[in-house]
Amino acid sequence: MSIAANIEYFNQILTGTGCRLVAVSKTKSPGAIMEAYQAGFKRFGENRVQELKEKHQSLPEDIEWHMIGHLQTKKVKMIAPFVSMIHAVDSIKLASEIDKHAERNGRTIHCLLQVHIAKESSKFGFDGEELLEAVKLGQFDHLEHLKICGLMGMATFTSDQQLIRSEFKTLKTLFETIRLMPTSDNFEFREISMGMSNDYQIAIEEGSTMIRIGSDIFGARD
Ligand SMILES: *Cc1c(COP(=O)(O)O)cnc(C)c1O
């Protein structure tokens, strides 16, 4: 299947679900991205700052770039001028740094708070309880140049569908809990970024609003 046909497949299965596609183009060439772009698709995800910056510079201006990977505070300034959404905000310190660079660029940067939902200990993200406490204490409330749009999570990489489903349910429940909490105006909770090539069907069933798909669109990475 061509990249354009794969994009079309996802557009079709997502129609009417309230879930959108982020095409994860990490390690893939600008030419591969242009194949999707020429088919009318403009929302791409990258996980490395340098690669994201270079692709932003060489590709059309109207592409919506999503930073989906772990972000180091010292690299925020490289993407702050143009990034559309940062999916993996996993500390107050990182959120503060993004806020600072958003202000310097005269922008409001849209962010998602990453929650550690997987069994594997290697994955980044807030612990759910810890995040609830931080929100309750208003620890994000002064970050006026952020729009905190929701949560992001990665399920355990496994063939155990029950485990994946329960991890996505955990994220959804946490989302609903935070959505009902009193917060300042920089919270606009509406997105749950969950689901990858391996588990997007389950993620959509469990209420994902953004699936991040790489290999099922662009083919396996080297
Ligand atoms: C690479 C990556 C994806 C896409 O993974 P696929 O299995 O290729 O669909 C999604 N989210 C994050 C955070 C990634 O790093």
Side-chain angles (χ1 to χ4, degrees), residues 53-200:
K53 192 181 161 191
E54 283 165 15
K55 284 175 173 169
H56 166 255
Q57 282 168 349
S58 67
L59 288 162
E61 195 50 46
D62 63 344
I63 287 179
E64 197 185 294
W65 291 106
H66 290 239
M67 175 63 191
I68 60 169
H70 179 66
L71 179 58
Q72 291 174 275
T73 50
K74 64 177 183 196
K75 295 190 176 171
V76 170
K77 62 173 176 296
M78 292 170 65
I79 59 170
F82 67 88
V83 72
S84 278
M85 183 172 271
I86 297 175
H87 286 233
V89 177
D90 60 359
S91 70
I92 311 277
K93 183 170 162 240
L94 176 59
S96 305
E97 189 71 8
I98 298 168
D99 182 68
K100 182 173 91 188
H101 288 284
E103 181 173 22
R104 286 186 188 165
N105 285 278
R107 305 186 66 212
T108 298
I109 298 184
H110 291 204
C111 292
L112 303 177
L113 303 173
Q114 182 176 8
V115 182
H116 178 262
I117 54 172
K119 268 192 165 172
E120 297 130 317
S121 58
S122 63
K123 300 263 164 81
F124 293 102
F126 286 97
D127 163 78
E129 289 302 317
E130 177 189 272
L131 179 60
L132 280 179
E133 197 56 27
V135 173
K136 205 174 290 171
L137 292 170
Q139 293 184 334
F140 298 97
D141 288 0
H142 64 294
L143 305 173
E144 291 174 27
H145 307 278
L146 295 192
K147 193 59 92 184
I148 302 174
C149 301
L151 302 180
M152 180 273 218
M154 291 168 81
T156 304
F157 187 75
T158 174
S159 56
D160 182 347
Q161 314 273 301
Q162 296 285 48
L163 178 61
I164 294 170
R165 190 176 296 282
S166 77
E167 291 172 352
F168 287 154
K169 278 187 195 298
T170 300
L171 191 64
K172 167 80 168 170
T173 302
L174 192 62
F175 171 86
E176 294 299 346
T177 305
I178 295 175
R179 202 162 62 88
L180 296 173
M181 287 167 71
T183 53
S184 67
D185 290 347
N186 61 350
F187 274 75
E188 209 169 86
F189 250 47
R190 52 188 158 79
E191 305 285 1
I192 308 177
S193 169
M194 60 184 188
M196 307 172 32
S197 296
N198 182 50
D199 54 22
Y200 66 85

Side-chain angles (χ1 to χ4, degrees), residues 6-14 21 200 213 216-217:
N6 292 337
I7 294 273
E8 178 54 25
Y9 169 79
F10 278 99
N11 279 338
Q12 278 187 11
I13 64 162
L14 292 177
L21 172 66
Y200 66 85
I213 307 292
D216 270 15
I217 291 173

Side-chain angles (χ1 to χ4, degrees), residues 17-20 192-195 203-211:
T17 62
C19 182
R20 292 177 297 156
I192 308 177
S193 169
M194 60 184 188
I204 295 166
E205 287 165 16
E206 297 304 329
S208 173
T209 67
M210 264 191 227
I211 52 172

